[in-house]
Each structure stands twice: as structure tokens, then as C-alpha cells.
Amino acid sequence: MSVRAKQAVAIAVGLVIAAVMMWLGVWQMSSYEESTRDVSAERAAEPATPLADAVSADGEVQDVYGKRVTFTGEYLPEYEVTVGESAPWRVLTAMRLEDGRHIAVVRGALDPASVEDGIPAPPPGVHDVEAIFLAPDLPGDGGGTEVADMRTVRIQELAQEWPSPLIGGYVTLHGSDSEAQGLAEAELVLPAAEGSPTHRGYALQWWVFATGGIAFGLYTAHQLGKDEKKRLAKTPAD
């Protein structure tokens, strides 16, 4: 076999090894992402926690973001905004809790085209609520052509106009509860979870190996070329 053929084989082997390692890295990262989704789903499926126990009097929130909470309160329809950068908008209404604190509640979603008909009013009276507790949203990216009252749920901004004290987070009602209030189900974006760091570490490891595979193939081909040059240099000319 000629030197060039050997070099081609060495590079091909390195590329094959790299392709396998890249595939393993992608598979491992998929496992990491899946574990992240599992963690978020598991948190949302845990037994509900009383909100009064999860948020201290000074406003400190325990590890309940992305989990179900329960509380009792009364809607304040005069404190209501729509949220979103594009359809459908979320309907965010203040609720006064039994202990005098307040929380922002995403009652559901609606199409901006139907706003002319008015947003369905929240049910009067005191209600027992079970919903997913979420941290304030990140600032919007400025996209969308029909912007609601707010681009994202920003508790700090609401606190300037809504009654206080206002809990540092908001809840999103279950789809059936939204439908009962004449609204569509609001999209529930669970917080990003850490998942298993083992999967992520293995993914990075496989990609490093892939780089090594390519480097090995190129190095071997280079060495074969050097060895051939040395052999020719030692061979007497005819």
C-alpha cells in the first residue's frame, strides 16, 4: 500500500472515530436535556405546598418555583393587565390573600382580537386556588407587533401600581380553571432545571474525544509522510 493510501486510511479512521464520538456526545446531551425536563415535570407533579408556608412574612421565597401551591383569596379585578408580545395574551389579575398579602394570578389567555368584547371578569368571592408558582419573567426581547399592557410578567413593575405587599412571584392556573373563567389555557413555561450534570459531562467528554480522533488521524498521516521522506532520504539514488 502506498504512503498516500495509508495516509488516507489514517485520516478516514480518525474521521470515523470522530463521527461516532460526536454522535455519542449528541445522544448524551439529549439525555441531559431529557433529565432536565424530567426534573421540571417532577417538581410540577409534587404535592401542593401552602403558599403561606412557602413565602415568609419578609417576602423570602422558599424552593417552590415551578411547584404547585395552594392559597385562598379574592380577585381584585381593578388590578388587571394583559401580558405578551404576540397572541395569545395572558390575563394577569391581582388576588388578595387571607393574610392581607397579594399575588399576581395568570387566570388564562385570550386572543387580542377578542379584547374589544372585554376580558371575562374574574369570579367574585373567596376562592381556594391551586396553581403553579413561577418566578418573575425575564425582560422581553422587543419582538411582536401587537404588544399587551406588559411584554412579560415583571413583579417589580406591578408593585409600583398594585396593592402591597406583593409576593415576588406569580401563579398560573390550570387549564380547566381558566376555561371555567371564560379564558383559554395559558402557556406554562416551567423554569429551567439543572438535570443530571453527569450527562452533560459525558457529552463534553465525547466531543473532546471526537476532536482527539481527528487530531490522531491527521497526526498519523503526517508521521507516515515524514517516515516516507526519511526512508527516501536514506535510499541511495539509482
Side-chain angles (χ1 to χ4, degrees):
M1 180 183 295
S2 66
V3 173
R4 289 190 178 277
K6 291 180 180 179
Q7 289 177 317
V9 170
I11 293 175
V13 170
L15 292 175
V16 170
I17 293 174
V20 172
M21 297 302 177
M22 287 292 294
W23 179 85
L24 289 172
V26 171
W27 170 78
Q28 202 74 61
M29 185 56 72
S30 298
S31 298
Y32 167 75
E33 294 175 351
E34 186 62 34
S35 70
T36 299
R37 287 192 289 269
D38 289 345
V39 170
S40 296
E42 288 172 3
R43 288 176 64 86
E46 290 180 5
T49 301
L51 183 63
D53 296 341
V55 182
S56 62
D58 63 2
E60 182 179 355
V61 180
Q62 298 179 12
D63 183 26
V64 291
Y65 291 119
K67 296 183 179 181
R68 290 183 296 157
V69 296
T70 57
F71 53 89
T72 301
E74 182 177 4
Y75 286 110
L76 304 178
E78 64 270 29
Y79 298 103
E80 183 171 82
V81 296
T82 54
V83 181
E85 297 181 321
S86 60
W89 292 348
R90 288 180 287 175
V91 178
L92 189 69
T93 309
M95 174 174 272
R96 178 179 290 120
L97 306 180
E98 289 181 312
D99 60 9
R101 292 183 291 180
H102 302 81
I103 188 169
V105 180
V106 174
R107 297 195 291 119
L110 82 169
D111 192 302
S114 66
V115 174
E116 296 180 358
D117 301 328
I119 300 174
V126 178
H127 301 273
D128 293 324
V129 180
E130 180 177 302
I132 299 293
F133 186 79
L134 299 167
D137 295 343
L138 296 174
D141 60 9
T145 56
E146 296 185 62
V147 181
D149 298 327
M150 300 181 69
R151 292 184 183 276
T152 59
V153 180
R154 307 294 293 164
I155 299 300
Q156 290 182 341
E157 294 181 16
L158 292 172
Q160 299 176 18
E161 299 181 3
W162 284 19
S164 60
L166 185 61
I167 290 175
Y170 69 98
V171 296
T172 297
L173 296 184
H174 188 273
S176 58
D177 295 328
S178 298
E179 292 174 4
Q181 297 189 27
L183 296 167
E185 181 177 5
E187 180 182 6
L188 179 63
V189 181
L190 296 175
E194 293 183 358
S196 172
T198 302
H199 291 302
R200 182 169 55 182
Y202 283 154
L204 295 175
Q205 177 179 287
W206 287 123
W207 290 334
V208 170
F209 288 164
T211 303
I214 295 175
F216 174 78
L218 294 175
Y219 174 79
T220 301
H222 178 67
Q223 286 298 116
L224 288 171
K226 287 179 63 176
D227 292 344
E228 179 64 11
K229 288 180 180 180
K230 290 180 180 179
R231 187 186 66 80
L232 293 175
K234 294 179 179 180
T235 302
D238 294 337

